[in-house]
Amino acid sequence: MTYCIAVSVKEGLVLTSDSRTNAGIDNVSVHCKMHVIATCEDRKIVLLSAGNLATTQSVLDQLRRDIKERAETNLNTMQYLSEAAEYLGHVSLEKQHKHANSGQNSFFPAATFLLAGQIGSEPHGAYLVYPEGNYITTSVQTPYLQIGENKYGKPVLDRILKIDTPLEEAALCSLISMDSTMRSNVSVGPPVDMLIYHKDSLMLDEYYRFQESDDYLIQLRRIWQEKLSDGFAALPRLNKQEAKDFPVLEY
């Protein structure tokens, strides 16, 4: 299982991913799911991936090969991030069909991607590219996208993130979302990669990698748990005087 988050707010982007992959309870390994594509200096493009590892690696290899061989269509020829998302969808779909027709039984080649970054003076942004090749982007109402095991980490994102949330707060929110997911699902696990991109900088110079034993991650988890417990303890209790008999229907 996987969990990746792409947050796009006014100040820039926060990208977060776990590193645990598994093909069964006895085949667990670590693979980075955050991929920076080497492109021209006038753009920065990062991919987060979930799903079949073979498909993911095949897609990444194709994207890099197209750039190296200066194919007519590659990430350096795109003028808009939406074009890059559409191109990624085409490549992904092609690789999935190739693997699906390989004759292997019970093989599911589906892969999902988050594509984020900035091209030139165009606005920064994030896109979710589905296995079917289509895509969606963030909005003012929902400035984040998730792939993988998204249900446990979604509530805190919904409560905290707004389009004008400062980048540092967005990063903290993403880490809490990731920690909540790791706590509830052991198939999502560290190391946790996080990349913060400041709009219009065209630089990827704020990258963090948190191991399970990282002091900061442990402190963040402890304080969050304490505040949740304090908040729960402060909730108003039920008033038993207002309780009623359960209604029994008569037939």
Side-chain angles (χ1 to χ4, degrees), residues 89-136:
H90 286 316
V91 174
S92 177
L93 203 56
E94 177 185 324
K95 297 302 181 182
Q96 289 177 69
H97 285 164
K98 179 179 179 181
H99 290 309
N101 296 327
S102 64
Q104 302 180 59
N105 295 326
S106 301
F107 180 72
F108 301 99
T112 309
F113 295 91
L114 292 174
L115 180 148
Q118 185 171 14
I119 296 178
S121 60
E122 290 298 314
H124 64 276
Y127 289 79
L128 191 163
V129 181
Y130 293 103
E132 294 77 12
N134 55 332
Y135 60 86
I136 62 172

Side-chain angles (χ1 to χ4, degrees), residues 191-204:
V192 174
D193 294 300
M194 186 171 71
L195 181 63
I196 300 176
Y197 173 77
H198 297 261
K199 74 170 185 176
D200 300 330
S201 68
L202 295 179
M203 296 177 64
L204 303 177

